[in-house]
Amino acid sequence: MSRADPAPTQSPTWRTDEILVSILQYTAGIALVLTAWVLAFTDHARAAGSALLPGLLIIMLYGANQIRFRAVLERTVLLVGIWTLVAPWALGFAANDGATWAHVVLGSLAVASATALLRIARRS
């Protein structure tokens, strides 16, 4: 007795992996903005500005990507993440351990999430 194959299911429009990676990217942007706020109160203006601009860019690009996914926006997030990674040394505030670690960790999250979303888009 042979079993009939079940009816093919349609792939959901909301994919869990995309949602989780997008949330991670958005969280990195929010954390950069909050880092800028904390650094501004500790008189580290250069580090604060370096965290604020990439954080706002990541948040705005995340919002634009929710309307319609575009690979160019994720590539921009990738570049912003790379800039965030190298900013402590490029702008000369690497001696501030807190600011440096915040930039390295959050820049790495932005790079990793953008890379993951680009890979997911290629598979689709």
Side-chain angles (χ1 to χ4, degrees):
M1 182 185 240
S2 67
R3 288 183 12 194
D5 289 334
T9 59
Q10 295 178 350
S11 63
T13 56
W14 291 50
R15 297 190 180 128
T16 305
D17 50 352
E18 290 177 29
I19 293 171
L20 293 175
V21 172
S22 294
I23 289 171
L24 182 67
Q25 186 178 83
Y26 182 73
T27 303
I30 293 291
L32 276 168
V33 171
L34 291 176
T35 299
W37 182 67
V38 170
L39 289 171
F41 282 113
T42 59
D43 280 338
H44 293 95
R46 188 178 295 166
S50 174
L52 181 63
L53 184 60
L56 291 175
L57 280 171
I58 290 170
I59 292 169
M60 289 184 339
L61 292 168
Y62 167 83
N65 241 359
Q66 297 309 305
I67 297 168
R68 180 161 182 215
F69 179 82
R70 298 197 190 274
V72 69
L73 296 178
E74 285 306 323
R75 287 186 189 104
T76 306
V77 171
L78 183 66
L79 291 174
V80 169
I82 291 170
W83 167 253
T84 304
L85 276 169
V86 300
W89 296 276
L91 298 177
F93 61 88
N96 182 343
D97 288 341
T100 300
W101 277 108
H103 278 74
V104 168
V105 169
L106 297 172
S108 297
L109 279 174
V111 168
S113 64
T115 303
L117 286 171
L118 286 169
R119 286 185 178 176
I120 290 169
R122 278 191 202 139
R123 284 188 294 182
S124 299

